[in-house]
Amino acid sequence: MANQAEVTKLVSRLKIPILAKHRRLRNPEGPQGRVKKIRAIVTALFKYERIEVYHYDGDEARGYAERLISDAIRHGDTHKETMEMADYWIEEKNLVHKLFKVLVPRFQNTSSSYTRMLNAPIPHATPEDSHPHFRSVIELRGNPFPPLIQSAVDNRLLIQNVLLEEAKKEYRAAKYAEIAQDLESRANEKSDASSETREDTAEDESQPK
Amino acid sequence: MKFNLCCKVLKSSLNRLSIRQLSSSIQNQNDLFNAELKRQQNAVGRIEKINVVYKGVPEDAELIMNKNLSTPYNCAQHLSEMLCNRSVLALVDGVKLWDMHRPLESDCEVQLLHFHDTDPYHCNRTFWRSCSIMLGSVLSRVFKEDVQVALHSFPSPTVKSGSFVYDVELSLPDWNPTPAELRVLSGEMVKLAYEEIPFERLSIGQDLAEELFQHNRHKLEQIPSIVQQSLDGKVIVYRIKDHIDISRGPMMSNTNHFGRCTIVSAHKIETDVGLLYRFQGVALPKAMQLNHFAYGIIEERAKKLNSGRLPTIQGEYQPAMTSREEIAAPV
């Protein structure tokens, strides 16, 4: 066991969730058709950087794209196996060049996944197509297109939030004042009581004399 | 209507207000305003062109507009309907806040501001100021004829204070508005918003200003100090429909930005100028939606007497604007 290489170190660990078992992606051409479809999607993703595809096909192909980029970063363009893989999965050969010369520098220092997958709107069911397929948008990070999701806006400055914030502050101030008063009155009571008892004892002492 | 029974001081129902007659003094005031507006427009003379650079969505643009005639609103009309509808205020050359309906005076760069900007500070302030002036407009006409109403002023708007304010002198020594009466006021504010009235801005000389406000002794007293403070010796007046008021502005482009409103209280305040009523309200722009619970919290807070500056006799109408107010801080 000690001499055996650890399998997890042989392949790159991808930063996206991968299913335990591959999807078969039913296809009239059989397994060969599945591979063909994935090659087309991977090629399109590298070419256009943002594509909309059927969810299951896209999710399957995404792993292949991630693995290609990851290997390219790990081994560089002089590694024979990596080059063969890229050559196989990327149909247009100028995109192999893009993978090593454009995408590798882009993703070299990223800590997140290289691609992003978002759910596309589900089309309305029509009489012709009563079971619309789920679609997804896959994109390479750092693409030049406008963002799909608006960056979170700091909305503390919107008028209603300004008003609510001030109301909150005022409420808190009132509460703190209340608590402080409460504590004070309690402390007073206590000191009154203790002084009374002290007086009592003083009287007791004086009486026997 | 139910309001008929409970509003002893206000013109009773909401319906009757809309078909009110213009009193002669208001008519006179408006004639003066119209004449001055026409005179200023004619004074432009030969039309010259200016280059206006627009920065913002949907895309930067360069427009050729008319000097002293075209307004930022006209620029927005060239660009997009969305911009026309949502823009509250314009920012000229990145430093000057400019009313949407104020003619541009030279080559400039224009940005259009709205309530959902990353820092809507100036829009919020402008909204608050516009609410005050709208409240003044409502108060000046909502009371019955036997109640004398003299608008005094409003302190410079601070949203954080929780309410917008108008200080008014009423010939009622001891008046406590009922909830129904306050509701009538709120309703009138919203009706003003439904009418979609643009704010008209005019810069006028001292003589004309005194003529315009001859029926209002408070405003008459304020005019000399306003003139003294202003750089060019002019008084800036705004008109909403037929109500004319003094304010340094800027105001929002149209009353239709105004969404939800509650006039919550009228506090009696003793000042140097006599007994005034401080009307307070809270409002939100139409663009903002808020659930009723949160709005209730804001409403509840607005009932407390606003800590804004109390009117004084020699006191200036509004404190001189600080640089932060007039010049927009770069965001």
Side-chain angles (χ1 to χ4, degrees), chain B residues 290-303:
Chain B
L290 193 62
N291 64 62
H292 72 95
F293 179 80
Y295 189 72
I297 292 171
I298 297 173
E299 260 181 346
E300 206 50 45
R301 175 167 178 248
K303 283 180 186 163

Side-chain angles (χ1 to χ4, degrees), chain A residues 18-56:
Chain A
I18 299 281
L19 292 181
K21 206 159 176 265
H22 68 275
R23 285 195 185 87
R24 291 178 58 200
L25 301 184
R26 205 158 47 157
N27 196 289
E29 293 177 42
Q32 199 52 47
R34 171 183 182 277
V35 168
K36 231 164 135 183
K37 187 178 273 175
I38 289 173
R39 281 170 75 176
I41 293 175
V42 168
T43 308
L45 180 62
F46 284 150
K47 187 172 182 185
Y48 300 110
E49 307 212 359
R50 179 184 287 169
I51 51 172
E52 186 180 331
V53 285
Y54 287 133
H55 174 79
Y56 298 116

Side-chain angles (χ1 to χ4, degrees), chain B residues 164-231:
Chain B
F164 59 84
V165 173
Y166 211 114
D167 295 328
V168 182
E169 188 190 352
L170 299 176
S171 66
L172 299 165
D174 193 29
W175 181 55
N176 251 330
T178 61
E181 280 169 332
L182 290 173
R183 222 171 293 139
V184 170
L185 291 176
S186 312
E188 279 300 310
M189 293 282 282
V190 174
K191 266 171 71 181
L192 202 58
Y194 282 165
E195 286 179 53
E196 307 201 341
I197 304 153
F199 284 78
E200 291 172 87
R201 179 190 190 274
L202 207 57
S203 170
I204 58 175
Q206 187 176 357
D207 298 342
L208 183 64
E210 281 172 356
E211 206 180 339
L212 265 180
F213 293 99
Q214 56 191 348
H215 59 281
N216 187 331
R217 69 180 174 92
H218 299 306
K219 301 269 177 202
L220 270 185
E221 279 169 12
Q222 291 155 8
I223 286 171
S225 71
I226 295 168
V227 170
Q228 216 173 17
Q229 276 180 35
S230 70
L231 292 173

Side-chain angles (χ1 to χ4, degrees), chain A residues 122-141:
Chain A
I122 302 167
H124 209 67
T126 55
E128 293 83 40
D129 187 7
S130 54
H131 294 288
H133 297 280
F134 293 108
R135 295 176 76 84
S136 292
V137 176
I138 314 176
E139 62 178 0
L140 291 179
R141 287 186 197 268

Side-chain angles (χ1 to χ4, degrees), chain B residues 46-327:
Chain B
R46 203 186 141 96
I47 294 173
E48 291 173 48
K49 295 291 177 187
I50 50 172
N51 244 4
V52 177
V53 178
Y54 169 75
K55 286 270 162 68
V57 289
E59 57 187 2
D60 295 356
E62 203 172 337
L63 304 165
I64 294 172
M65 307 300 285
N66 296 330
K67 190 177 179 179
N68 290 328
L69 286 178
S70 306
T71 62
Y73 186 79
N74 297 136
C75 298
Q77 280 178 314
H78 281 290
L79 294 163
S80 154
E81 190 180 348
M82 172 270 287
L83 288 177
C84 296
N85 293 339
R86 80 169 188 188
S87 301
V88 180
L89 202 61
L91 187 62
V92 171
D93 291 332
V95 288
K96 278 177 280 179
L97 294 175
W98 207 268
D99 298 81
M100 284 299 283
H101 294 291
R102 175 179 173 190
L104 295 164
E105 287 160 2
S106 58
D107 290 355
C108 56
E109 186 197 296
V110 169
Q111 283 163 275
L112 300 175
L113 308 181
H114 61 103
F115 290 116
H116 282 285
D117 276 331
T118 41
D119 184 5
Y121 173 82
H122 292 290
C123 284
N124 293 350
R125 242 178 97 83
T126 304
F127 178 72
W128 227 230
R129 187 184 291 117
S130 312
C131 288
S132 282
I133 207 170
M134 282 167 73
L135 179 58
S137 150
V138 165
L139 290 174
S140 68
R141 66 204 164 95
V142 82
F143 286 95
K144 283 181 178 167
E145 275 77 12
D146 53 333
V147 181
Q148 304 290 318
V149 183
L151 299 183
H152 188 281
S153 64
F154 51 93
S156 83
T158 42
V159 177
K160 285 189 173 179
S161 70
S163 54
F164 59 84
V165 173
Y166 211 114
D167 295 328
V168 182
E169 188 190 352
L170 299 176
S171 66
L172 299 165
D174 193 29
W175 181 55
N176 251 330
T178 61
E181 280 169 332
L182 290 173
R183 222 171 293 139
V184 170
L185 291 176
S186 312
E188 279 300 310
M189 293 282 282
V190 174
K191 266 171 71 181
L192 202 58
Y194 282 165
E195 286 179 53
E196 307 201 341
I197 304 153
F199 284 78
E200 291 172 87
R201 179 190 190 274
L202 207 57
S203 170
I204 58 175
Q206 187 176 357
D207 298 342
L208 183 64
E210 281 172 356
E211 206 180 339
L212 265 180
F213 293 99
Q214 56 191 348
H215 59 281
N216 187 331
R217 69 180 174 92
H218 299 306
K219 301 269 177 202
L220 270 185
E221 279 169 12
Q222 291 155 8
I223 286 171
S225 71
I226 295 168
V227 170
Q228 216 173 17
Q229 276 180 35
S230 70
L231 292 173
D232 53 353
K234 297 270 190 181
V235 182
I236 293 161
V237 293
Y238 281 88
R239 178 164 76 171
I240 321 168
K241 204 156 88 174
D242 49 32
H243 174 73
I244 298 172
D245 206 340
I246 304 174
S247 171
R248 293 184 65 163
M251 294 287 169
M252 59 189 189
S253 61
N254 196 307
T255 56
N256 66 5
H257 289 299
F258 188 87
R260 192 170 179 183
C261 171
T262 323
I263 307 299
V264 285
S265 56
H267 293 282
K268 263 177 284 187
I269 46 172
E270 277 297 342
T271 59
D272 303 353
V273 287
L275 177 73
L276 297 183
Y277 285 90
R278 172 159 278 192
F279 282 85
Q280 292 179 192
V282 66
L284 287 180
K286 197 168 65 180
M288 299 299 175
Q289 292 188 339
L290 193 62
N291 64 62
H292 72 95
F293 179 80
Y295 189 72
I297 292 171
I298 297 173
E299 260 181 346
E300 206 50 45
R301 175 167 178 248
K303 283 180 186 163
K304 292 176 197 160
L305 179 65
N306 190 300
S307 57
R309 190 183 57 83
L310 291 176
T312 50
I313 287 182
Q314 50 307 76
E316 62 291 12
Y317 167 65
Q318 269 185 5
M321 278 192 175
T322 60
S323 56
R324 162 78 167 148
E325 284 156 23
E326 195 147 22
I327 298 167

Side-chain angles (χ1 to χ4, degrees), chain A residues 10-150:
Chain A
L10 288 180
V11 288
S12 333
R13 180 186 290 259
L14 299 188
K15 289 152 191 159
I16 57 166
I18 299 281
L19 292 181
K21 206 159 176 265
H22 68 275
R23 285 195 185 87
R24 291 178 58 200
L25 301 184
R26 205 158 47 157
N27 196 289
E29 293 177 42
Q32 199 52 47
R34 171 183 182 277
V35 168
K36 231 164 135 183
K37 187 178 273 175
I38 289 173
R39 281 170 75 176
I41 293 175
V42 168
T43 308
L45 180 62
F46 284 150
K47 187 172 182 185
Y48 300 110
E49 307 212 359
R50 179 184 287 169
I51 51 172
E52 186 180 331
V53 285
Y54 287 133
H55 174 79
Y56 298 116
D57 301 353
D59 194 36
E60 200 65 16
R62 187 186 176 200
Y64 287 78
E66 285 271 345
R67 175 77 193 275
L68 275 180
I69 298 173
S70 171
D71 280 353
I73 291 173
R74 225 173 127 170
H75 305 300
D77 50 2
T78 48
H79 192 244
K80 194 171 161 241
E81 281 78 13
T82 306
M83 192 53 102
E84 273 172 6
M85 272 296 165
D87 190 42
Y88 180 75
W89 287 104
I90 300 174
E91 285 172 339
E92 293 179 28
K93 296 309 156 208
N94 55 346
L95 295 176
V96 177
H97 196 73
K98 180 180 177 180
L99 172 66
F100 288 102
K101 290 283 179 275
V102 179
L103 300 183
V104 167
R106 190 196 288 178
F107 294 123
Q108 215 149 31
N109 298 318
T110 50
S111 54
S112 60
S113 63
Y114 313 119
T115 60
R116 190 161 70 151
M117 196 161 178
L118 296 159
N119 291 344
I122 302 167
H124 209 67
T126 55
E128 293 83 40
D129 187 7
S130 54
H131 294 288
H133 297 280
F134 293 108
R135 295 176 76 84
S136 292
V137 176
I138 314 176
E139 62 178 0
L140 291 179
R141 287 186 197 268
N143 62 45
F145 304 116
L148 285 174
I149 297 176
Q150 275 192 342

Side-chain angles (χ1 to χ4, degrees), chain A residues 153-154 157-160 162-164 166-167 170, chain B residues 115 118 120 124 127 159-160 285 288 294 301 304:
Chain A
V153 181
D154 182 15
L157 298 165
L158 299 183
I159 190 163
Q160 69 271 42
V162 171
L163 288 166
L164 282 170
E166 288 302 309
E170 220 173 85
Chain B
F115 290 116
T118 41
N124 293 350
F127 178 72
V159 177
K160 285 189 173 179
M288 299 299 175
R301 175 167 178 248
K304 292 176 197 160

